[in-house]
């Protein structure tokens, strides 16, 4: 029921005093006192705004946004959180966000979110008429001391509060993958810090292990956030087309070369595993292993080119009959750690797999080198004769090596958009 007065410019000396707590009774001020223990931590701000809010872990306090730092005489884009028990922390943005520096703006809290409007945008040097919505969530920020525990046990106990919080109050759908990626990166950094200090023993494939135990507790929530009705329809079409093609299509119908003795079962079993795994890194490894098994079978020494590789990848996908495959690929693109997707080889094979799935989904009669009367015999309703959006499979293959590695800047821009 008390008021907090934070920052501002004192008209006497144009300086900012310490934060004040004002006690109220019967609409009258009965007590005013400074909060001296945090006077060094809380920056002296003016032209800022603050809004009372409640975080996802039920912590209450004021979120302080922007303004001008009187000590450095410069504008700031930082966010702070002052709790009612006087704890003071800086709020770190999740993801690579370009946060403007605002002064003289307004904010209010509504349904747990903070809305920011107007003010002067120092970055653009102009008055702003933009409306921003800020979602504040809570993540554990310090690895506790689990002396005597194995590394696996320590990581599991550290991640457990995140699972509980994430399930109790899930972030909005469009933020879940961002929150997941940020916390994954934080846990990996903490693990590396603790192992370098010899507080924890190193484990093999640590990133994959952390990704696995982190995703296991919230897989159903993350899976839900990466689907939509259009994707579900695409998966239905893909499943149906593969089931029909399995009945009569042979490698020769796809111009598959050098297929004598090809280990079809090995490749299709590898890609089937993608549906059994929950970790994004493990799923990408399934895609990688499937593609590598194909290239090594075709050309053990040099690897196969796209003209040889892509038709066989399509045939393997037909035989594997993986359901919800478009959903699986969407899950990978949304939840896999950014540095995994920045890997040139992984990105290349993931792109090829996506192209193969699209080819089989948007199938037309001229897509396959097969008698159209045979296609019309098996497909009911019949396939489209030709579609501008559907091209023969060879045109889906990626030939340009520049496609194998996208710049980090381009990925960041796509993520922001």
């Amino acid at each position: 029921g008390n008021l907090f007065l934070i920052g501002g410019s004192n008209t006497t000396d144009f300086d900012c005093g310490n934060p004040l707590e004002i006690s109220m009774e019967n609409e009258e001020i009965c007590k005013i006192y400074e909060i001296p223990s945090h006077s060094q931590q809380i920056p002296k701000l003016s032209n800022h705004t603050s809004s009372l809010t409640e975080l996802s872990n039920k912590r209450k306090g004021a979120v302080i946004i922007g303004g001008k730092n009187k000590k450095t005489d410069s504008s700031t884009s930082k966010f702070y959180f002052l709790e009612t028990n006087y704890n003071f922390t800086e709020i770190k943005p999740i993801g690579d966000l370009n946060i403007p520096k605002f002064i003289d703006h307004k904010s209010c809290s509504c349904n747990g979110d903070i809305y920011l409007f107007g003010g002067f945008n120092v970055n653009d040097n102009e008055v702003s008429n933009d409306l921003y919505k800020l979602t504040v969530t809570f993540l554990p920020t310090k690895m506790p001391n689990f002396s005597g525990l194995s590394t696996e046990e320590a990581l599991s106990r550290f991640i457990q509060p995140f699972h509980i919080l994430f399930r109790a109050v899930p972030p909005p759908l469009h933020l879940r993958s961002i929150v997941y990626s940020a916390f994954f990166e934080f846990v990996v950094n903490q693990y590396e810090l603790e192992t370098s200090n010899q507080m924890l023993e190193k484990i093999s494939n640590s990133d994959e292990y952390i990704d696995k135990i982190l995703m296991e507790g919230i897989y159903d929530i993350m899976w839900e956030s990466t689907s939509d009705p259009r994707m579900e329809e695409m998966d239905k079409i893909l499943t149906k087309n593969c089931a029909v093609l399995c009945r009569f299509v042979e490698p020769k119908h796809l111009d598959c070369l050098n297929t004598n003795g090809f280990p079809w079962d090995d490749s299709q079993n590898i890609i089937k595993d993608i549906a059994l795994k929950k970790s994004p890194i493990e799923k990408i490894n399934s895609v990688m292993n499937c593609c590598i098994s194909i290239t090594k079978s075709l050309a053990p020494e040099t690897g196969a080119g796209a003209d040889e590789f892509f038709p066989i990848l399509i045939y393997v996908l037909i035989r594997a009959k993986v359901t919800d495959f478009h959903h699986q690929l969407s899950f990978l693109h949304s939840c896999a750690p950014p540095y995994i997707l920045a890997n040139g080889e992984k990105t290349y094979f993931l792109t090829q797999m996506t192209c193969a799935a699209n080819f089989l989904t948007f199938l037309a009669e001229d897509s396959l080198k097969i008698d159209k009367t045979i296609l019309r015999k098996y497909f009911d309703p019949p396939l489209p004769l030709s579609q501008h959006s559907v091209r023969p499979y060879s045109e889906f293959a990626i030939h340009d090596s520049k496609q194998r590695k996208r710049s980090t800047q381009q990925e960041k821009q796509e993520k922001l958009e």
Side-chain angles (χ1 to χ4, degrees):
N2 292 356
L3 303 177
F4 287 91
L5 183 62
I6 305 167
S9 183
N10 188 322
T11 56
T12 304
D13 54 14
F14 299 99
D15 194 10
C16 298
N18 293 334
L20 303 176
E21 182 173 4
I22 304 174
S23 179
M24 304 283 291
E25 285 186 9
N26 299 324
E27 299 182 359
E28 293 183 357
I29 297 176
C30 63
K31 188 176 182 181
I32 302 178
Y33 57 92
E34 290 187 349
I35 309 175
S37 61
H38 295 273
S39 59
Q40 300 302 316
Q41 296 183 34
I42 302 178
K44 294 186 176 183
L45 296 172
S46 66
N47 307 86
H48 57 287
T49 185
S50 62
S51 293
L52 186 67
T53 190
E54 181 175 333
L55 299 186
S56 54
N57 63 336
K58 305 303 180 184
R59 289 164 61 182
K60 295 181 179 180
V63 174
I64 306 166
I65 306 167
K68 181 178 288 188
N69 189 317
K70 299 291 287 185
K71 185 176 181 179
T72 61
D73 195 31
S74 61
S75 303
T76 178
S77 60
K78 292 184 177 181
F79 298 76
Y80 300 97
F81 186 60
L82 177 62
E83 295 185 73
T84 51
N85 61 0
Y86 309 149
N87 284 334
F88 179 79
T89 53
E90 181 181 344
I91 298 175
K92 302 289 187 180
I94 294 174
D96 187 13
L97 303 179
N98 183 20
I99 302 174
K101 294 180 179 180
F102 281 113
I103 59 174
D104 297 322
H105 46 291
K106 299 299 179 184
S107 66
C108 67
S109 178
C110 181
N111 296 328
D113 295 318
I114 297 172
Y115 291 86
L116 177 67
F117 180 73
F120 187 80
N121 187 330
V122 178
N123 290 20
D124 298 335
N125 196 33
E126 63 181 14
V127 176
S128 170
N129 65 345
D130 295 326
L131 176 66
Y132 293 85
K133 177 183 176 182
L134 311 177
T135 300
V136 185
T137 188
F138 168 77
L139 298 176
T141 55
K142 187 176 181 182
M143 181 80 78
N145 180 19
F146 293 125
S147 57
L149 296 178
S150 67
T151 302
E152 292 83 351
E153 290 174 319
L155 287 170
S156 295
R157 292 197 185 184
F158 175 55
I159 290 171
Q160 186 179 19
F162 174 79
H163 284 163
I164 294 172
L165 180 63
F166 203 96
R167 297 196 70 85
V169 190
L173 287 173
H174 66 286
L175 290 178
R176 290 180 189 177
S177 60
I178 298 176
V179 172
Y180 176 86
S181 297
F183 190 64
F184 169 80
E185 183 179 348
F186 173 74
V187 176
V188 169
N189 291 338
Q190 287 296 309
Y191 162 80
E192 292 175 351
L193 178 63
E194 297 295 331
T195 52
S196 65
N197 294 335
Q198 298 183 344
M199 300 299 293
L200 292 174
E201 294 183 1
K202 290 187 177 182
I203 56 177
S204 60
N205 300 321
S206 58
D207 286 15
E208 185 174 323
Y209 178 79
I210 292 172
D211 188 46
K212 181 178 179 180
I213 61 173
L214 185 57
M215 182 58 74
E216 278 180 346
I218 56 173
Y219 180 73
D220 57 330
I221 299 176
M222 296 301 297
W223 180 257
E224 173 196 18
S225 67
T226 55
S227 181
D228 59 58
R230 178 176 174 272
M231 189 182 303
E232 292 174 3
E233 186 61 29
M234 288 172 63
D235 274 326
K236 288 179 182 178
I237 297 171
L238 176 61
T239 302
K240 175 188 174 183
N241 287 350
C242 287
V244 174
L245 291 172
C246 255
R247 296 161 62 185
F248 65 91
V249 164
E250 300 176 15
K252 64 181 181 181
H253 298 138
L254 294 160
D255 276 349
C256 293
L257 307 175
N258 304 323
T259 57
N260 292 332
F262 190 87
W264 301 110
D265 290 341
D266 293 345
S267 300
Q268 69 190 44
N269 287 337
I270 292 173
I271 198 60
K272 278 182 178 179
D273 285 346
I274 192 173
L276 304 177
K277 302 181 185 302
K278 295 182 178 179
S279 159
I281 294 180
E282 287 184 325
K283 288 178 182 288
I284 284 188
N285 287 341
S286 292
V287 172
M288 279 282 298
N289 293 337
C290 174
C291 294
I292 290 173
S293 72
I294 294 174
T295 57
K296 286 187 174 180
S297 297
L298 291 172
E301 299 296 329
T302 60
D307 288 332
E308 296 176 284
F309 165 77
F310 192 68
I312 291 184
L313 178 61
I314 292 173
Y315 190 67
V316 167
L317 204 56
I318 291 172
R319 288 170 59 98
K321 300 179 186 177
V322 180
T323 58
D324 57 36
F325 196 64
H326 284 291
H327 194 170
Q328 295 284 357
L329 294 173
S330 172
F331 180 85
L332 288 181
H333 284 290
S334 298
C335 301
Y339 75 90
I340 294 288
L341 296 177
N343 179 288
E345 188 178 31
K346 287 183 171 64
T347 301
Y348 172 70
F349 284 132
L350 188 57
T351 301
Q352 293 280 27
M353 192 68 77
T354 303
C355 290
N358 287 338
F359 168 78
L360 291 170
T361 302
F362 304 107
L363 204 60
E365 286 190 352
D366 61 355
S367 301
L368 298 169
K369 292 191 175 181
I370 191 170
D371 191 332
K372 292 178 174 53
T373 58
I374 297 177
L375 289 174
R376 291 165 188 169
K377 174 183 174 182
Y378 285 97
F379 279 94
D380 183 26
L383 295 172
L385 295 176
S386 178
Q387 294 178 353
H388 292 295
S389 59
V390 180
R391 297 165 292 173
Y393 61 81
S394 60
E395 296 183 36
F396 279 92
I398 306 299
H399 295 279
D400 190 350
S401 60
K402 293 180 181 179
Q403 296 271 352
R404 300 190 180 195
K405 188 174 183 180
R406 297 183 302 172
S407 67
T408 305
Q409 190 63 35
Q410 183 182 351
E411 289 184 352
K412 288 181 178 179
Q413 185 62 32
E414 289 176 357
K415 209 162 193 179
L416 287 174
E417 290 173 354

